[in-house]
Amino acid sequence: ARAAGKSKVGFSQCTTLEPWRVQFNKDIQAEAKNHPDIDLIITDGQDKTEKQVADCDNLIVQQVNVLLISPKESAGLTGVVEKAIDAKIPVIVLDRNVDTKRITQFIGGDNVAIGKAAGEHAVKLLGGPGKAAGNVVEIWGGMGTQPAHDRHDGFHAFTDKEPGIKYLLNNQSGDWKQDKAYDIMTTALRNNEKIDMVYGHNDPMAYGAYLAAKDAGRDKDIKFIIGIDGLPDEGVTWVSKGQLTATFLYATPGAEGLRQAAKLLKGEKLQPVITLPTMLITKENAPDILKKNGLL
Ligand code: FRU
């Protein structure tokens, strides 16, 4: 039942422990100001699947009119998403997917395309197609998430064609976290005399790898560090300082997510997928982005 003219939109966020998630919540809250007829309820899964499932259960009990969810991982959140749909609550999934086709809409970046762009850039940096050579450390995001797999697959679609590229790690996950990536890189540095490139599935992990190299006195030897996310006060700043070589914008689906929920509440039909754009960020365009965001 809808309270006098107001609709309830629930948003289950998986965590607020990562900077990109904090920005995501800011974006949806800012958009909420344009929708006075929507009561937005945001929950924080605290990076735990069980907590996020409980949050969704709670939003179902509160009979939200639309459920927005950005799941921690695919498998563990699929059940509760289907439960919401069974309770006639339409679900819009943001950034990371779930394993069901019954959702109303998915909004997120194209992580295969981003991975490919990263792979293409990596090949260029390492000497160009057919000539690329170097030792690469890849640090995975969460293994249970589609973005990590897509970012891996996209990258390798380009780099695997290069016999001169060697991979030093075997699918090691930093679970999107800077400190875990720092530890992975510290071990990689200990075990390998020559590391030419780091590919982190997000900027915090790429930066964690940079810090590990710096603390080991080897930051000058690691020629290229590539990340993904491109938050102005993180990735873009690190690129402009030369700590990262490049990053790729991964816009948060916060504002678009709420706009789409509002459309749905007005009875409009939603397109099944909205893909958010990306862009390569290097030392060349980083200052412009910083200026636009009042950071330079
Ligand atoms: C934040 C994050 C981002 C990344 C996204 C992928 O939790 O790790 O850094 O781009 O999730 O789902």
Side-chain angles (χ1 to χ4, degrees):
R2 214 170 278 193
K6 270 217 169 196
S7 306
K8 271 194 257 177
V9 172
F11 172 42
S12 164
Q13 175 64 282
C14 58
T15 179
T16 50
L17 292 173
E18 287 150 43
W20 189 85
R21 299 282 155 187
V22 174
Q23 185 58 46
F24 188 162
N25 279 11
K26 278 189 197 156
D27 292 343
I28 195 168
Q29 276 159 334
E31 180 61 27
K33 299 217 169 75
N34 304 326
H35 306 273
D37 49 329
I38 289 178
D39 217 348
L40 176 66
I41 309 162
I42 302 182
T43 58
D44 176 3
Q46 297 169 4
D47 214 27
K48 294 184 194 80
T49 299
E50 319 76 67
K51 169 70 167 72
Q52 192 173 19
V53 169
D55 289 344
C56 292
D57 271 326
N58 228 302
L59 293 167
I60 295 170
V61 170
Q62 292 184 59
Q63 296 185 328
V64 292
N65 303 101
V66 180
L67 176 63
L68 297 171
I69 176 172
S70 192
K72 170 165 167 63
E73 37 117 3
S74 312
L77 274 306
T78 301
V80 81
V81 161
E82 296 203 302
K83 191 169 164 183
I85 297 165
D86 288 340
K88 306 262 178 305
I89 300 171
V91 178
I92 299 176
V93 178
L94 309 172
D95 162 50
R96 297 183 192 163
N97 72 353
V98 285
D99 302 322
T100 172
K101 293 207 159 56
R102 294 174 59 208
I103 63 169
T104 301
Q105 187 177 56
F106 176 82
I107 309 175
D110 181 341
N111 285 296
V112 175
I114 292 173
K116 281 185 179 166
E120 190 173 18
H121 196 61
V123 167
K124 197 171 145 195
L125 292 171
L126 291 172
K131 289 174 289 194
N135 293 344
V136 175
V137 162
E138 176 182 7
I139 305 178
W140 278 68
M143 284 292 178
T145 71
Q146 196 62 43
H149 289 268
D150 290 349
R151 289 173 190 187
H152 170 84
D153 293 349
F155 187 82
H156 284 263
F158 276 86
T159 60
D160 285 4
K161 290 188 197 142
E162 302 297 325
I165 293 183
K166 301 269 170 301
Y167 308 99
L168 300 179
L169 299 185
N170 191 14
N171 299 349
Q172 285 218 43
S173 171
D175 195 28
W176 308 113
K177 311 281 193 300
Q178 180 179 313
D179 57 341
K180 287 198 181 143
Y182 180 98
D183 293 344
I184 289 172
M185 185 65 177
T186 300
T187 307
L189 286 159
R190 219 176 277 142
N191 294 338
N192 299 280
E193 260 169 47
K194 186 171 170 291
I195 299 176
D196 301 293
M197 174 179 280
V198 174
Y199 171 45
H201 286 183
N202 70 356
D203 289 340
M205 296 195 297
Y207 187 64
Y210 162 77
L211 291 178
K214 190 165 185 273
D215 289 351
R218 286 173 61 185
D219 49 313
K220 298 281 176 293
D221 307 345
I222 321 290
K223 293 190 271 310
F224 312 110
I225 305 183
I226 299 177
I228 293 168
D229 275 350
L231 288 181
D233 57 350
E234 293 230 326
V236 182
T237 299
W238 297 328
V239 167
S240 83
K241 286 187 180 161
Q243 295 163 321
L244 304 188
T245 314
T247 182
F248 292 83
L249 173 69
Y250 191 64
T252 88
E256 192 59 45
L258 195 64
R259 281 197 288 271
Q260 294 294 319
K263 272 191 173 185
L264 189 62
L265 288 166
K266 278 192 215 123
E268 285 179 44
K269 201 171 162 359
L270 303 188
Q271 64 193 85
V273 177
I274 292 184
T275 303
L276 302 175
T278 183
M279 72 189 274
L280 167 66
I281 299 165
T282 63
K283 253 196 146 152
E284 250 101 82
N285 58 353
D288 280 348
I289 300 170
L290 293 181
K291 266 180 223 146
K292 267 183 212 133
N293 286 276
L295 293 170
L296 201 79

